[in-house]
Amino acid sequence: MTRLIFASGNPNKAKEIQSALPEKFSVITMKEAGFLSDIPEPYHTLEENAQHKARTVASALNVNCFSEDTGLETVALGGAPGVRSARYAGEEANDKKNIEKLLLELGNNNLRNARFKTVIVLILDSEEYFFTGICEGKITTSASGSSGFGYDPIFIPDGAEKTFAEMTLEEKNRYSHRKKALAKMIEFLIEKK
């Protein structure tokens, strides 16, 4: 079993990643590994934020680890919320407030095209590797479903008829941006072993 330290405190993301991994890999969060500090995300790109989190944990714990940053990019709003997705409605925002703000800003706009983009940064033996996954889709006009997290209740991936929040984890993994980036990292790790 290969243990991967995930430089994130988000248990939802850790659960989703673990569900997408082959059985020979297990994920533990940075808190489970003994890193208890919050890591700020001050940068203007997903790549920089993911890199910063991975470097911080790798350096503090002297371990191989990976991190990710994900953003929802809407065409009508010029790519927003993008890198600010988790804090779109302010620093103290939660999923509900972020969704409300996004739906309000889109209003009755018929241009609902959007995409989720995930960037994973893996630090392995002091080398850095980047993996990207993208899921194209559309923003609904109202929230639907109770599974998932973040913007899942208002995002329908291309080729599906349900929001991510209406899907099981297995269904979501068929489309997931995070799963796509993760699959690239896993393929790389398997080749390295």
Side-chain angles (χ1 to χ4, degrees):
M1 176 88 57
T2 302
R3 192 174 76 160
L4 299 172
I5 295 172
F6 180 32
S8 171
N10 187 324
N12 290 316
K13 286 183 179 181
K15 180 179 173 189
E16 189 174 296
I17 285 171
Q18 183 65 64
S19 79
L21 284 172
E23 285 183 12
K24 66 178 179 176
F25 294 96
S26 73
V27 170
I28 66 166
T29 65
M30 62 187 191
K31 287 189 168 103
E32 291 169 326
F35 187 94
L36 303 177
S37 303
D38 281 331
I39 304 172
E41 297 179 351
Y43 298 102
H44 299 293
T45 67
L46 300 172
E47 289 81 1
E48 290 171 304
N49 281 335
Q51 183 181 52
H52 174 65
K53 289 185 283 189
R55 283 180 175 177
T56 301
V57 172
S59 172
L61 299 178
N62 195 27
V63 293
N64 294 326
C65 73
F66 72 99
S67 178
E68 67 88 52
D69 201 17
T70 295
L72 176 66
E73 302 170 346
T74 60
V75 173
L77 300 177
V83 74
R84 302 259 330 139
S85 291
R87 299 167 301 286
Y88 194 46
E91 290 303 317
E92 302 302 315
N94 58 29
D95 293 348
K96 186 173 183 290
K97 288 179 181 173
N98 286 332
I99 287 171
E100 286 170 357
K101 179 175 180 180
L102 183 63
L103 290 178
L104 185 66
E105 291 193 348
L106 283 174
N108 293 324
N109 194 322
N110 289 327
L111 186 59
R112 312 296 285 191
N113 300 57
R115 70 179 193 168
F116 272 116
K117 178 181 176 183
T118 291
V119 176
I120 291 178
V121 175
L122 170 69
I123 297 182
L124 186 67
D125 302 327
S126 302
E127 295 288 329
E128 295 179 2
Y129 304 92
F130 290 74
F131 309 93
T132 301
I134 289 171
C135 177
E136 302 283 350
K138 295 206 173 7
I139 302 297
T140 59
T141 54
S142 61
S144 185
S146 57
S147 297
F149 59 97
Y151 296 91
D152 286 358
I154 59 168
F155 184 84
I156 298 177
D158 286 351
E161 303 198 358
K162 299 192 281 192
T163 68
F164 271 160
E166 294 174 302
M167 296 180 183
T168 64
L169 255 180
E170 292 72 29
E171 288 174 314
K172 182 179 178 182
N173 280 335
R174 287 186 211 142
Y175 304 96
S176 170
H177 43 289
R178 197 169 284 112
K179 169 80 190 288
K180 290 174 184 175
L182 194 60
K184 292 176 184 176
M185 182 179 82
I186 297 304
E187 185 180 351
F188 170 81
L189 285 169
I190 289 169
E191 286 175 5
K192 290 285 275 187
K193 293 252 167 217

